[in-house]
């Protein structure tokens, strides 16, 4: 598919190539190698005068990798694995640069790299299906494919401190360090910033400088790297089977083979927690601390235990208590800003000529001709070092003027944040790829592994297009929007959005606040990319001489935590409920319930009994911690009228109690088949009447009562509302129906679409109905409330339905029917959720905002004003 002439000079100084790659770092080098191997004509354009990318520019003192060099290296060339020997566990910048130079030489890459050449613009030509690429050296290259391999942290942030250009001494940016080095001997030095670059350089600058002043806006978590020779244990593991080691890295979460813990930090004793943190601290491994427990990046309280452990380490190292406290990070959870590993970073603050300026207390007002002024003081310096970071992930991409279809500028398209499909491509920009772009694991992973995966995907894609005589590829708007949603869904169930980090774009004034990388992990991301290809490049549109071709669609539709739960359950190979007897199913349900998190604490829990329609029923009362009396919610558990109990829905009831600030009375109604239809409905109504009559004795406010139920319990709650209306009482202020059963018709589209695979299956639902009611009884409105002739004058309702639930359409139909009958109804469809998502408290974190809406709805029913 060589674009017209193949490589070489064409007319008028223009050249035609298959692929132009921008950047000769880790990714550009490997991509060039792959493309050449596949027989494509390709050139790499590089603004530096040698290979290396970030390792070419970041030559500041102390620069080294913080992922062990064995991991932070290529895997594509098995020879390289044996011929290259890292001299240290964490190699220095010069050694990494030598490595990249060696790779370039070994594979003769330099002959296709144009150095000292900066790309200024790239324009898509729709008529010719080519990119026109212009550089600062003049001339133009036409190419079929245009790839930005510019790295995530390559464009230093422009100075956002007043007077930055006024300083008459020497100033340096860590990300653009002079090749000849800087001699700090005897100098008064100011360093601005305490990120990774500063943490690495400060101890070394302090060794030379006469005076060192560090200006800190946000303290950072850091631990000793314990650098030294390559760890013998790691090397032995690697050498035993390099290919297997690399494969394990490819299918790991962070791109480094690691044991994944299952417990949460609060599920073990304080001693056990401390011991595990000590081990992680001693390991010198950047990834060790954050992966000590499963929930450190999703549970604030769990994360805080690690934060405090690390703060205490800082306090134990830094002798001056005020400086120590200023160095302790307190404004962000561990891991939500990139943590560091260091060599003598905190120890450096014990040196007599080193001082820390806490900019939170005494901010910089301006840089002057002779130094830095803060609100309270004036500092004079010979040298200022800006360790102020990068316009990360998007900066280098939009720094080139990239124009896609219809003259659309990429910078305009991304004005509110980057929008990509798989972090590799973006709609409206055909034949354009980004390596480790926003929306891919990139900076949250071992970059070497992520880079190889992206390069392989892009090269394979281009080769497959050639094989199929396709000339243009572009992601569809649908696929892209859904991927962006998926990336955000993942970010939203973590603590990352809580920090003002460069991951969120928060370090660059005016940059949209968007979570830039993909937190789902290298393994899940790779699986998604592979599945896109297996599904005939799902979400991509192609053009070629044979005409257009597109298999449009969405690669990930489930909420991320729901998908993980389903993955985990699939590995357990559990029997289906409908293959069991009711007794077995009940025992199974009890066993499953024993494994879950307990839910939040409430003020008080009371177990007692109340009179049902035909005998005593157990109930459990949850009282809020706030002073009463409270309104009351009568709650009915799920379980298909066959199983379930006050225990089965205990975490959900606790959560409901906390969020609604109401008493929740969870009622154990009789179960089928022993007590078939209409026993459950009759018990439900009897219970509600009793609760209303005994509200005061229960500590509730008489006359303020709502009902809530999940699944079959939602069915009972709906039926009770109608029975109460027809009986003239008790008065019910509102109903919250969570994925309710409202009808016996099992043929609706949601039954067909979600027949299998989402825990509540169509066969299981049939099994429930078969136990509960004879076919002739099922259409009775007491079993199928949707069939009631009159749904008017029912209490206001919140009806919650889930996208991947057989009951979705009947829930929707019930909400619509009530609304049509004049009832005040809010229908809340839940994207990406399954029947059991919302009640899985502290397991499905993406359900929490919806449970908050349920609590809000109940409070509103009771007359409280709740912010929308
Ligand atoms: O940049 P940073 P970095 N006034 O953005 C401060 C990778 N890396 O170059 O946090 C005052 O982390 C800013 O303060 P705040 C690694 O992924 C890896 O150090 O915004 N201060 C912060 O303290 C890393 O995360 C290695 O409040 C200002 C610092 O400057 C990423 O690159 C080594 C300021 C910037 O920290 C970036 O690291 C180096 C202002 N106006 C880097 N503006 C390895 O070990 C900014 N700051 C592999």
């Amino acid at each position: 598919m060589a674009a017209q002439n193949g490589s070489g000079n064409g007319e008028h100084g223009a050249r035609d190539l298959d692929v132009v790659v921008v950047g000769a770092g880790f990714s550009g080098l490997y991509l060039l190698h792959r493309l050449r191997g596949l027989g494509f004509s390709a050139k790499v354009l590089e603004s530096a005068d040698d290979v290396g990318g970030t390792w070419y520019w970041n030559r500041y003192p102390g620069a080294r990798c913080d992922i062990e060099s064995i991991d932070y290296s290529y895997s594509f060339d098995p020879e390289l694995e044996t011929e290259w020997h890292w001299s240290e566990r964490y190699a220095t910048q010069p050694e990494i640069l030598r490595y990249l130079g060696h790779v370039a030489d070994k594979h003769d890459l330099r002959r296709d790299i144009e150095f000292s050449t900066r790309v200024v613009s790239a324009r898509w030509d729709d008529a010719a299906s080519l990119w026109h690429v212009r550089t600062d050296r003049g001339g133009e290259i036409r190419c079929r494919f245009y790839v930005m391999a510019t790295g995530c942290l390559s464009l230093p942030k422009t100075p956002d401190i007043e007077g930055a250009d006024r300083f008459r001494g020497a100033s340096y940016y860590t990300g653009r360090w002079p090749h000849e080095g800087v001699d700090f001997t005897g100098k008064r030095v100011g360093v601005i910033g305490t990120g990774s670059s500063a943490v690495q350089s400060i101890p070394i600058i302090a060794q030379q400088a006469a005076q060192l002043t560090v200006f800190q806006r946000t303290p950072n978590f850091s631990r000793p790297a314990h650098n030294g020779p390559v760890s013998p244990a790691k090397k032995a593991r690697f050498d035993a089977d390099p290919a297997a080691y690399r494969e394990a890295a490819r299918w790991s979460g962070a791109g480094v083979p690691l044991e994944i813990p299952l417990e949460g930090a609060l599920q073990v004793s304080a001693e056990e927690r401390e011991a595990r943190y000590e081990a992680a601290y001693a390991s010198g491994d950047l990834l060790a601390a954050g992966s000590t427990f499963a929930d450190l990046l999703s549970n604030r309280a769990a994360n805080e235990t690690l934060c405090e452990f690390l703060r205490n380490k800082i306090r134990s190292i830094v002798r001056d208590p005020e400086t120590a406290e200023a160095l302790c990070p307190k404004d962000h959870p561990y891991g939500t800003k990139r943590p560091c590993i260091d060599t003598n970073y905190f120890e450096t603050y014990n040196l007599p000529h080193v001082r820390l300026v806490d900019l939170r207390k005494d901010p910089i007002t301006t840089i002057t001709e002779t130094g830095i002024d803060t609100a309270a003081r004036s500092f004079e310096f010979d040298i200022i070092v800006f360790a102020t970071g990068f316009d990360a992930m998007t900066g280098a991409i939009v720094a080139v003027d990239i124009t896609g279809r219809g003259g659309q500028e990429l910078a305009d398209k991304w004005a509110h944040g980057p929008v990509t499909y798989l972090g590799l491509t973006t709609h409206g920009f055909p034949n354009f790829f980004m390596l480790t772009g926003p929306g891919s694991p990139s900076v949250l992973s071992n970059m070497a592994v992520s880079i190889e995966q992206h390069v392989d995907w892009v090269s394979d894609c281009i080769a497959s297009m050639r094989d199929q005589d396709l000339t243009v590829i572009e992601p569809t708007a649908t696929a892209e929007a859904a991927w962006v949603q998926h990336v955000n869904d993942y970010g939203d169930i973590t603590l990352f959005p809580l920090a003002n980090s460069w991951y969120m774009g928060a370090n660059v004034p005016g940059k949209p606040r968007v979570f830039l990388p993909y937190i789902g992990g290298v393994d899940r991301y790779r699986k998604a990319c592979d599945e896109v290809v297996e599904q005939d490049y799902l979400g991509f549109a192609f053009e070629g001489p044979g005409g257009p071709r597109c298999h449009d669609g969405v690669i990930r539709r489930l909420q991320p935590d729901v998908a993980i739960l389903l993955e985990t359950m699939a590995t357990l190979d559990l029997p289906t409920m409908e293959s069991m007897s009711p007794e077995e199913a009940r025992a199974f349900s009890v066993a499953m319930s024993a494994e879950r998190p307990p839910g939040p604490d409430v003020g008080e829990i009371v177990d007692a009994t109340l009179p049902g329609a035909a005998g005593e029923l157990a109930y459990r009362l949850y009282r809020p911690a706030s002073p009463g009396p409270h309104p009351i919610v009568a709650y009915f558990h799920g379980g298909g009228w066959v199983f379930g109990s006050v225990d089965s829905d205990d975490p959900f009831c606790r959560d409901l109690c906390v969020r609604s600030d109401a008493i929740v009375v969870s009622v154990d109604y009789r179960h089928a088949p022993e007590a078939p239809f209409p026993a459950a409905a009759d018990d439900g109504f009897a219970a509600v009447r009793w609760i209303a009559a005994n509200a005061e004795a229960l500590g509730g406010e008489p006359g303020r009562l709502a009902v809530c139920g999940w699944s079959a319990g939602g069915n009972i709650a709906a039926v009770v509302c109608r029975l109460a209306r027809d009986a003239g009482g008790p008065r019910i202020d509102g109903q919250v129906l969570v994925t309710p059963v409202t009808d016996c018709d099992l043929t609706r589209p949601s039954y067909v679409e979600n027949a299998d695979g989402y825990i509540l299956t169509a066969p299981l639902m049939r099994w429930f109905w078969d136990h509960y009611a004879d076919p002739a009884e099922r259409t009775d409105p007491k079993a199928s409330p949707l069939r009631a002739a009159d749904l008017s004058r029912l209490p206001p309702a919140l009806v919650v339905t889930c996208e991947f639930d057989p009951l979705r359409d009947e829930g929707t139909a019930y909400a619509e029917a009530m609304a049509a009958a004049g009832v005040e109804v809010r229908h809340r469809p839940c994207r990406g959720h399954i029947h059991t998502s919302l009640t899985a408290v502290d397991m499905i974190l993406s359900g929490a905002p919806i449970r908050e809406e349920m609590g809000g709805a109940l409070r509103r029913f009771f007359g409280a004003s709740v912010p929308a």
Side-chain angles (χ1 to χ4, degrees):
M1 67 151 57
Q4 297 159 25
N5 305 333
S7 75
N9 287 319
E11 287 171 26
H12 313 300
R15 290 174 296 157
D16 298 311
L17 293 166
D18 291 323
V19 190
V20 162
V21 180
V22 188
F26 256 98
S27 53
L29 291 178
Y30 177 43
L31 182 58
L32 178 59
H33 172 70
R34 277 290 327 260
L35 292 171
R36 271 214 215 135
L38 289 164
F40 291 110
S41 60
K43 284 274 180 226
V44 173
L45 308 180
E46 168 58 62
S47 62
D49 61 12
D50 201 353
V51 299
T54 198
W55 298 105
Y56 173 94
W57 297 107
N58 284 272
R59 295 167 187 248
Y60 60 84
R64 56 174 80 241
C65 57
D66 58 6
I67 295 286
E68 293 190 46
S69 292
I70 282 189
D71 297 299
Y72 188 70
S73 49
Y74 288 122
S75 73
F76 72 87
D77 176 358
E79 258 176 47
L80 200 55
E81 311 264 39
T82 48
E83 74 196 13
W84 186 269
H85 299 286
W86 294 106
S87 67
E88 290 179 87
R89 184 179 181 190
Y90 299 106
T92 59
Q93 174 270 335
E95 187 170 359
I96 300 171
L97 198 56
R98 276 201 303 283
Y99 171 77
L100 292 172
H102 171 78
V103 172
D105 292 337
K106 178 167 191 255
H107 293 285
D108 188 21
L109 299 175
R110 283 193 168 85
R111 76 180 148 86
D112 280 321
I113 304 174
E114 294 184 12
F115 293 107
S116 307
T117 304
R118 177 175 295 281
V119 175
V120 290
S121 71
R123 182 176 56 81
W124 173 250
D125 177 344
D126 227 358
S129 297
L130 294 173
W131 283 94
H132 296 261
V133 179
R134 289 197 164 272
T135 72
D136 60 357
R137 303 183 74 166
E140 179 179 285
I141 305 176
R142 288 186 296 248
C143 55
R144 180 73 76 207
F145 297 97
Y146 174 66
V147 186
M148 290 295 271
T150 38
C152 297
L153 294 153
S154 46
L155 184 72
K157 198 175 85 143
T158 42
D160 52 1
I161 303 173
E162 138 130 13
D165 50 0
R166 209 182 300 157
F167 183 60
R168 284 204 313 241
S171 55
Y172 304 101
Y173 286 81
T174 47
R176 288 286 180 275
W177 203 256
H179 284 206
E180 60 282 9
V182 177
D183 185 5
F184 292 98
T185 313
K187 305 284 194 218
R188 297 164 305 166
V189 183
V191 173
I192 304 175
T194 48
S196 303
S197 305
V199 164
Q200 287 185 329
S201 55
I202 283 168
I204 303 198
I205 296 173
Q207 284 168 14
Q208 296 176 10
Q211 262 181 35
L212 172 62
T213 308
V214 177
F215 294 86
Q216 170 188 274
R217 190 163 65 184
T218 311
N220 228 326
F221 289 105
S222 188
R223 293 175 286 126
H226 299 303
N227 194 22
V230 172
S231 135
K234 180 128 191 154
K235 181 144 173 41
R237 186 175 167 199
F238 179 81
D239 288 345
D241 190 345
Y245 184 92
R246 296 296 193 193
E247 194 59 8
R250 287 182 197 114
W251 290 102
S252 66
V256 175
L258 269 182
E259 297 297 323
I260 305 296
L262 291 175
E263 308 97 331
L266 304 174
Q267 286 173 275
V268 302
S269 68
E271 296 72 37
E272 165 77 12
R273 203 160 47 230
E274 202 76 356
R276 290 212 212 166
Y277 289 153
E278 284 290 356
Y281 191 81
S283 73
D285 182 339
L286 177 70
L287 303 172
S291 33
T292 319
F293 293 102
D295 58 353
L296 290 174
L297 287 176
S298 57
N299 180 328
R300 185 91 204 229
N303 188 290
E304 179 55 23
T305 62
L306 174 57
C307 292
E308 195 51 19
F309 172 87
L310 292 170
R311 287 184 207 120
N312 284 334
K313 290 289 183 192
I314 298 170
R315 290 170 185 132
S316 73
I317 298 170
V318 179
R319 286 198 285 271
D320 172 45
E322 199 184 331
T323 306
E325 223 40 49
L327 285 165
C328 286
K330 290 178 192 138
D331 76 333
H332 63 276
Y334 177 86
T336 57
K337 279 176 91 111
R338 163 92 173 200
C340 308
I341 51 173
D342 68 83
T343 304
N344 296 329
Y345 174 64
F346 293 114
E347 288 82 348
T348 299
Y349 292 94
N350 290 332
L351 298 174
H353 65 294
V354 177
R355 63 187 157 179
L356 180 74
V357 177
D358 181 352
L359 299 180
R360 301 276 173 196
K361 290 188 179 150
D362 185 13
I364 294 178
T365 50
T366 185
I367 294 180
T368 65
E369 293 188 348
T370 54
I372 295 176
D373 281 0
T374 61
R377 285 175 285 179
S378 240
F379 299 87
E380 304 239 313
F381 297 119
D382 303 308
I383 298 176
I384 296 179
V385 173
F386 290 87
T388 44
F390 300 88
D391 185 350
M393 301 210 66
T394 55
I397 298 175
V398 295
V400 174
D401 188 2
I402 301 176
T403 312
R405 272 197 213 277
Q408 189 183 21
E409 304 270 340
L410 186 60
D412 290 342
K413 178 177 175 184
W414 286 9
H416 302 294
V419 179
T420 72
Y421 184 35
L422 302 171
L424 279 162
T425 58
T426 186
H427 177 68
F429 296 78
N431 291 5
F432 169 58
F433 295 100
M434 295 157 278
L435 301 185
T436 65
S440 76
S442 55
V443 291
L444 295 176
S445 68
N446 173 3
M447 284 299 263
V449 170
S450 287
I451 282 169
E452 287 195 332
Q453 186 251 338
H454 264 194
V455 167
D456 289 340
W457 196 95
V458 170
S459 334
D460 292 347
C461 170
I462 295 177
S464 138
M465 286 175 67
R466 176 178 60 188
D467 295 345
Q468 297 174 68
D469 204 13
L470 297 167
T471 48
V472 178
I473 178 171
E474 183 188 347
T476 68
T478 306
E480 177 172 273
W483 183 256
V484 170
Q485 183 69 65
H486 178 60
V487 172
N488 288 334
D489 285 345
Y490 246 125
D492 287 346
I493 54 170
T494 71
L495 301 175
F496 278 91
L498 299 180
N500 288 323
S501 65
W502 58 258
Y503 296 133
M504 297 294 302
N507 65 328
V508 176
K511 191 166 171 171
R513 193 183 169 93
V514 174
F515 184 53
L516 297 166
Y518 176 71
I519 182 76
V522 164
D523 45 357
R524 291 205 173 83
Y525 175 76
R526 179 183 292 270
K527 194 156 182 281
C529 292
D530 289 355
E531 284 177 23
V532 163
V533 176
E534 285 157 19
Q535 294 177 43
D536 195 18
Y537 281 92
L538 183 70
F540 282 103
F542 291 94
E543 292 166 24
R549 196 181 101 184
C550 177
H551 179 202
D552 201 0
V554 169
I555 191 66
R556 291 289 178 258
R557 298 178 63 197
L558 287 166
Q559 289 290 334
D561 43 3
V562 172
I564 293 170
L565 177 80
L566 291 173
E567 269 171 34
T568 311
M569 290 190 66
T571 62
L572 300 177
D573 206 14
L574 299 170
T576 62
M577 296 281 238
E578 65 273 21
S579 66
M580 302 180 194
S581 68
E583 292 74 24
E584 288 166 342
R586 286 167 195 157
F588 183 75
S589 155
V590 170
M592 296 294 285
S593 297
E595 299 299 319
R596 7 154 248 199
D601 288 337
V602 299
E604 186 191 20
I605 292 183
V606 179
D607 281 326
T609 59
L610 56 78
E616 288 293 291
L617 304 175
Y619 74 85
R620 181 169 294 168
L621 180 145
Y622 303 80
R623 195 184 312 286
S626 61
H630 301 94
I632 303 182
V633 180
Y635 177 82
F636 302 101
H637 63 75
W641 307 285
V642 175
F643 53 78
S645 66
V646 295
D647 288 325
S648 65
D649 291 25
D650 184 73
F652 182 49
C653 288
R654 287 164 176 265
D655 194 79
L656 210 56
C657 170
V658 170
R659 292 182 195 274
S660 64
D661 198 33
I663 291 172
V664 174
V665 179
S666 172
V667 180
D668 247 357
Y669 50 90
R670 281 171 295 157
H671 285 159
E674 296 84 346
F677 174 83
D682 289 343
D683 277 349
F685 187 42
V688 164
R689 277 191 303 195
W690 182 86
I691 292 166
N694 293 275
E696 201 162 355
L698 294 171
E701 285 181 74
R704 302 185 72 196
L705 175 68
V707 294
C708 176
W710 169 45
S711 192
N715 172 276
I716 296 169
V719 169
V720 160
C721 287
R722 202 173 40 76
L723 296 178
R725 179 200 66 184
D726 293 348
R731 184 188 129 81
I732 297 177
D733 292 320
Q735 46 178 330
V736 173
L737 310 180
V738 184
T739 59
V741 184
T742 70
D743 193 43
C744 57
D745 176 0
L746 312 193
T747 63
R748 288 191 166 81
S750 57
Y751 260 95
V752 178
E753 289 163 26
N754 307 302
D756 205 5
Y758 303 113
I759 300 179
L760 180 67
T761 61
L764 179 57
M765 210 47 228
R766 198 163 294 120
W767 185 85
F768 286 143
W769 273 111
D770 288 348
H771 282 101
Y772 184 49
D774 289 338
E777 294 167 330
R778 292 180 195 175
T779 51
D780 186 316
K782 242 170 141 177
S784 291
L786 183 60
R787 307 221 174 197
D790 176 14
L791 290 173
S792 65
R793 294 176 294 110
L794 290 175
L798 170 68
V799 181
V800 181
T801 58
C802 289
E803 186 178 4
F804 297 97
D805 180 1
L807 305 186
R808 179 194 68 208
D809 292 348
E810 67 197 68
T812 305
Y814 192 61
E816 288 168 357
M818 282 195 292
V823 177
E824 191 187 319
V825 180
R826 177 163 146 62
H827 174 213
R828 173 62 159 92
C830 300
R831 180 180 51 76
H833 280 286
I834 62 173
H835 186 73
T836 53
S837 290
L838 305 178
T839 52
V841 176
D842 293 336
M843 288 173 72
I844 301 297
L845 301 181
S846 54
I850 301 158
R851 288 198 304 278
E852 186 59 25
E853 287 179 39
M854 297 177 202
L858 287 165
R859 280 180 279 140
R860 248 181 241 109
F861 293 153
F862 295 131
S865 71
V866 180

